[in-house]
Amino acid sequence: MAVGPRGCTAYPFSSDVTAAVLATLDGFDATKGGIRFTVDRPLPGEAFDALVTGRRAEIDAALDRRRG
């Protein structure tokens, strides 16, 4: 998460997860790797949870592949 003069951005460090969650939102601005929001228009809790669980699933899958 980053905070700047124009608001906040949630960065899950995955463009795939960002795109998937962004597709469920209406009217939020985004970068390739993050979703922007403000105090006046916060990121919905469900969207934040989806960012976390989506990224966690990617990490777990990568660990499973390494373990073979």
Side-chain angles (χ1 to χ4, degrees):
M1 186 99 50
V3 178
R6 296 186 316 167
C8 307
T9 306
Y11 293 104
F13 298 100
S14 168
S15 59
D16 292 338
V17 172
T18 298
V21 173
L22 187 60
T24 68
L25 299 173
D26 187 32
F28 282 84
D29 190 24
T31 64
K32 182 177 179 181
I35 299 173
R36 293 186 185 121
F37 58 97
T38 65
V39 172
D40 294 333
R41 185 160 188 207
L43 188 64
E46 299 84 19
F48 181 82
D49 291 347
L51 289 173
V52 173
T53 56
R55 182 62 179 134
R56 180 59 193 248
E58 287 183 340
I59 292 168
D60 288 345
L63 289 173
D64 289 345
R65 285 190 301 274
R66 288 172 105 188
R67 292 180 187 138

